[in-house]
Amino acid sequence: KASGGPMINEAVVSTQSTGETDEIKELVLDTMHYCMKVDTEQALTAGAMEVFTSLLTHGTWEIRGKAARDIMDISFPLAGKRRAVKCGCIPVLVKLLADPNFNVRSQAAGALMSIAITTEGKKASIGEGAVEALITLLRMDEGSEVKLNVIKVNTLASVRLLTVKAITMLAEHPEGREKLSEIVPLLEQIKASGGPMMNKVATTAINVITWKP
């Protein structure tokens, strides 16, 4: 674990450098993605969450998507979820749910799903309009955006899967559950038309939304 520390510190410094090219930043974000599978603590200590958050508004979709993906990685431990709320990345992630790029939307939904596991993360996400943004994302018209493109179809499936998972997290909070009750019929449609994984995820979402205390 200790051997990865210097590499992580150096990577975080590189992504902060205004002199680095976009290609280098992408490479560093990919490196961080793999490093954080082993060590998220060092990344948090080095200020990686703040750096990833600053890159969510980058001009290229590749960097926005990879920054959101890395936020999902670093948010798996409890300390990461708390830092995500504290450093203000949630409102930016909510905006990215409407990003022009499918991959960015998918990664943003995944990051919010990870952060919203905690009560603090749920409250912060709901307060920033995540429920409404996720509903809009779930209702997007497939026909207008996917034109016989296999890559786009697969990406849309990924967006939907992570969107439903994020919705499930927010539905565990009473305010989120109340707001999400309107999409149960849509989730039933998605459950019926999707594959085994989507069926399972949609079923869980419906059960959480319709749960009565």
Side-chain angles (χ1 to χ4, degrees), residues 15-35:
T15 52
Q16 287 177 302
S17 172
T18 55
E20 295 290 9
T21 64
D22 288 348
E23 288 79 8
I24 294 296
K25 287 181 178 177
E26 282 188 54
L27 181 61
V28 172
L29 287 168
D30 285 340
T31 301
M32 290 293 294
H33 172 56
Y34 293 110
C35 284

Side-chain angles (χ1 to χ4, degrees), residues 22 24 29 37-38 66 108 116 128 155 176 186:
D22 288 348
I24 294 296
L29 287 168
K37 291 181 183 295
V38 179
K66 290 180 179 187
E128 293 294 344
T155 307
L186 176 57

Side-chain angles (χ1 to χ4, degrees), residues 29 33 36 49 51-57 61-75 89 92-93 96-97 103-112 114-115:
L29 287 168
H33 172 56
M36 287 187 295
M49 181 68 82
V51 174
F52 299 153
T53 299
S54 72
L55 293 174
L56 291 175
T57 55
W61 70 264
E62 291 92 345
I63 290 178
R64 293 196 302 278
K66 290 180 179 187
R69 175 201 63 194
D70 285 7
I71 287 176
M72 178 167 60
D73 294 333
I74 202 172
S75 296
C89 75
V92 192
L93 289 169
L96 290 184
L97 293 174
N103 181 64
V104 176
R105 296 182 205 177
S106 178
Q107 301 296 350
L112 285 168
S114 181
I115 296 166

